[in-house]
Amino acid sequence: MGKHPWQVSVAIAFLIFGILAMTQFKAQQTIARNSTANLRSEDIIGTLIQVEQDSLNMQKEAGTLKKRIREYQQSSNLIKSLEDELAATRMRAGLEPLKGPGLIVTLNDSEKPQEQGTDPNNYYIHESFLREIVNAFWTGGAEGVAINDLRLIANSEVFCGGTTIFINKSLVVPSYKLMAVGDPKALSTSINMDVMPFLSSLQQRYGIKVDVQEVPELTLPPYKEMPKFHFATPVMD
């Protein structure tokens, strides 16, 4: 596994300090040796000049290494920014689990005996009911929606095949649990305006079951598969 940029930066910093310390130590050793040998003043001056030159070279090298540290830090910040953007994009696309306050609407078929002469369809939940609730969720500012633990994204479908309902190509059966993350009050207002009058009338007359709950926190699952595009391509600037 590769090292993180911050680990490389720390290593370089230690390297700088080590080299500077070693240079100073060598200079002191050289001066000590020359003093012990009672060298002439011009030899000592030459040694000092060499030590000063070595020090200047090391300072230049230290500046270069510090510049590399800054570059590593900038690279680390860029990687962190890209990772955050990727996470936000995946969340917007429905590819990550999502939690927050929201609304839960549960629907179920009626258990009342069917009255003679009435349309039997009035006793069952239809896919159109689900679509209407989902649309009301989006209108109410939902930031994520799921039905029976199936996350809805831009190309999700809710359709009826005979007497069964399919969502994201998966068969779903009653009861239907529709969940939305967002402002519970705004979601409830949207549901009450767009859907509940019709559902309430069916509930009172035919006995279909409707339950609406505002909750402080719920969790939506991610969309199970990465969306695939066969014809669409991104437009590059």
Side-chain angles (χ1 to χ4, degrees), residues 180-199:
V181 169
D183 181 357
K185 297 299 181 184
L187 294 170
S188 183
T189 297
S190 182
I191 289 292
N192 290 333
M193 290 178 58
D194 296 339
V195 186
M196 283 307 296
F198 172 68
L199 293 180

Side-chain angles (χ1 to χ4, degrees), residues 119-139:
D119 186 349
N121 288 319
N122 293 330
Y123 295 86
Y124 299 101
I125 302 300
H126 300 278
E127 87 285 353
S128 60
F129 300 175
L130 306 185
R131 285 198 297 265
E132 290 295 329
I133 292 175
V134 170
N135 289 337
F137 279 161
W138 295 130
T139 301

